[in-house]
Amino acid sequence: MAISHQEAIKQFQSLMEDVDDSLKETFENMHQGYITETLVRFLKARDWNVSKAHKMLIDCLHWRVENKIDNILEKPILPADLYRAVRDSQLVGLSGYSKELALLTWVWQLKLRFAVAVRLDIAPSVGLPVVAIGVGLSTFDKASAHYYVQSHIQMNEYRDCVILPSASKKYGRPISTCLKVLDMTGLKLSALNQIKLLTVISTIDDLNYPEKTDTYYIVNAPYIFSACWKVVKPLLQERTKRKVQVLQGNGRDELLKVMDYASLPHFCRKQGSGSSRFSGNGTIDNCFSLDHAFHQQLYNYVKQQAALTESVSPIKQGSFHVDFPVPNPEDDRIARTIEVEFHRLGDQNGLIKPLNGLKVDG
């Protein structure tokens, strides 16, 4: 007999009360005071199976302790030129937040004024960070794989420790997820060289940052993506497929329904499809650039955290090594399917050449 979600949360909370002392501190750093929301994310990731969700969370806490994830925001990527090179080849940024609809503003004002309880289904979609990812133009060729993994985890931790708590405080409710806009401009068969690294990053997210994305918006999708999507989509779990929306062109009109113009990623602002690394007012409007406000805030935050610990132990240059997890069977199967489809497309067009496989453990 299936138990209710509330009962599952209650059982999960009871199990976590007995967590080892060695894991309690990292659990507190992870949930940032939102314990229930954290437990719900892991329950969703394991289809509300309490024992599986509990094992997943305990494994995550051990991973955090063993890899010193709580300290990763104290480890800047040095020198600065190397970090800029990472940013130029791993295109990720924060462009803004989902918009507060006028109706929602009026309802919350009504609630506060008359102390009435109002349930509004659109409330959870307001104030979510909008994360832009340049899938097609990311080359991952300016540094070792460890630097790209370090950078990715740092952005995850900054999101969870700074961005989401700030948004929760601003909107007066827990905000624990984000929206992602994936730009497929420039996607080519050479992306096969990045499959191993992308699978590592995906596995880290699946196992240790589950259910952090509310919706994935795919924009500027070329034919090669459409062909791969047809064969990959059936392999995805239903809850994942429901999150993915493939938009026409640069998706501008559809995205403006959930965010203001100012929050649109730069590659969605022009009429028609297509994007570039730098557009608008140079690098300032480009949320991928190190000169963008988000990356400057993140960069300065890491430098400040590093300065607090530097007196204890001098900062050493070099990447922050994290154990690369073994991909789960689902991720591995998807990666292999993409690889086969890319080769098929390449064979059809005579484009396949010997690939320099990226060694993520070398």
Side-chain angles (χ1 to χ4, degrees):
M1 178 177 172
I3 61 175
S4 68
H5 288 177
Q6 289 299 324
E7 182 62 26
I9 295 170
K10 185 177 179 180
Q11 289 183 16
F12 201 176
Q13 287 176 326
S14 179
L15 290 172
M16 292 306 297
E17 289 174 1
D18 297 327
V19 67
D20 293 343
D21 290 341
S22 61
L23 304 180
K24 284 183 177 178
E25 183 176 354
T26 195
F27 184 45
E28 290 176 358
N29 289 335
M30 191 176 90
H31 66 62
Q32 291 289 312
Y34 298 104
I35 299 176
T36 300
E37 288 73 21
T38 301
L39 299 182
V40 167
R41 287 194 298 104
F42 281 84
L43 284 166
K44 286 182 178 179
R46 290 297 178 262
D47 296 319
W48 293 89
N49 184 303
V50 177
S51 61
K52 290 182 179 180
H54 178 249
K55 181 183 183 303
M56 182 186 187
L57 180 49
I58 294 299
D59 288 345
C60 169
L61 297 179
H62 281 295
W63 173 80
R64 293 182 66 88
V65 171
E66 292 165 4
N67 291 280
K68 300 180 180 178
I69 300 301
D70 290 341
N71 300 326
I72 200 168
L73 288 176
E74 303 169 1
K75 308 293 181 181
I77 294 176
L78 299 172
D81 287 345
L82 174 60
Y83 186 58
R84 183 175 288 278
V86 170
R87 291 277 58 80
D88 287 344
S89 53
Q90 183 186 32
L91 304 181
V92 185
L94 178 71
S95 64
Y97 296 83
S98 58
K99 64 184 176 181
E100 184 172 5
L101 304 179
L103 174 61
L104 181 63
T105 303
W106 176 81
V107 169
W108 282 110
Q109 289 175 345
L110 182 70
K111 178 179 177 180
L112 292 174
R113 182 175 180 182
F114 298 102
V116 295
V118 179
R119 180 180 182 275
L120 193 63
D121 291 336
I122 62 173
S125 66
V126 176
L128 304 188
V130 178
V131 177
I133 303 175
V135 178
L137 293 176
S138 291
T139 57
F140 297 98
D141 60 350
K142 305 298 183 184
S144 73
H146 286 285
Y147 282 112
Y148 290 113
V149 171
Q150 176 182 350
S151 170
H152 178 79
I153 296 175
Q154 282 181 330
M155 281 189 280
N156 279 355
E157 290 295 306
Y158 186 72
R159 173 198 64 198
D160 294 349
C161 297
V162 178
I163 298 295
L164 291 175
S166 296
S168 299
K169 183 177 180 180
K170 177 180 179 180
Y171 289 97
R173 62 178 183 81
I175 294 178
S176 59
T177 60
C178 62
L179 305 177
K180 288 185 178 179
V181 184
L182 281 60
D183 179 24
M184 296 294 169
T185 297
L187 186 65
K188 299 177 182 178
L189 294 174
S190 58
L192 271 179
N193 290 324
Q194 305 155 18
I195 286 292
K196 290 183 179 179
L197 175 57
L198 293 175
T199 302
V200 166
I201 290 175
S202 173
T203 303
I204 287 174
D205 283 353
D206 287 346
L207 298 179
N208 304 291
Y209 302 93
E211 298 295 322
K212 277 290 182 178
T213 303
D214 186 77
T215 307
Y216 297 89
Y217 296 102
I218 311 294
V219 302
N220 298 322
Y223 169 75
I224 191 172
F225 169 81
S226 301
C228 285
W229 179 241
K230 289 180 181 178
V231 297
V232 168
K233 186 176 180 179
L235 304 179
L236 300 177
Q237 296 183 14
E238 284 302 319
R239 70 171 185 276
T240 302
K241 283 190 281 190
R242 287 195 295 268
K243 292 181 179 181
V244 179
Q245 294 189 30
V246 181
L247 305 183
Q248 186 174 5
N250 65 11
R252 170 177 166 164
D253 293 341
E254 287 299 314
L255 291 174
L256 284 175
K257 296 177 182 178
V258 295
M259 65 188 73
D260 293 325
Y261 182 84
S263 292
L264 281 177
H266 60 281
F267 50 80
C268 296
R269 294 188 178 187
K270 292 184 177 180
Q271 291 287 358
S273 62
S275 68
S276 63
R277 291 172 183 265
F278 305 105
S279 62
N281 298 323
T283 59
I284 296 178
D285 286 342
N286 184 339
C287 62
F288 297 151
S289 170
L290 180 56
D291 298 317
H292 187 268
F294 165 72
H295 282 297
Q296 283 296 300
Q297 291 164 5
L298 169 58
Y299 188 61
N300 289 332
Y301 182 88
V302 174
K303 287 197 299 183
Q304 291 168 2
Q305 295 301 306
L308 295 175
T309 60
E310 190 174 11
S311 59
V312 179
S313 58
I315 299 175
K316 297 180 180 179
Q317 294 192 15
S319 62
F320 184 96
H321 281 221
V322 173
D323 291 337
F324 292 152
V326 177
N328 61 49
E330 181 180 331
D331 282 351
D332 194 49
R333 182 170 54 145
I334 291 172
R336 291 181 183 277
T337 301
I338 292 173
E339 188 171 1
V340 169
E341 184 65 13
F342 267 45
H343 275 291
R344 186 187 68 80
L345 293 170
D347 289 340
Q348 285 181 350
N349 296 279
L351 297 175
I352 286 292
K353 298 178 180 179
L355 296 171
N356 300 318
L358 179 61
K359 296 182 179 179
V360 298
D361 57 348

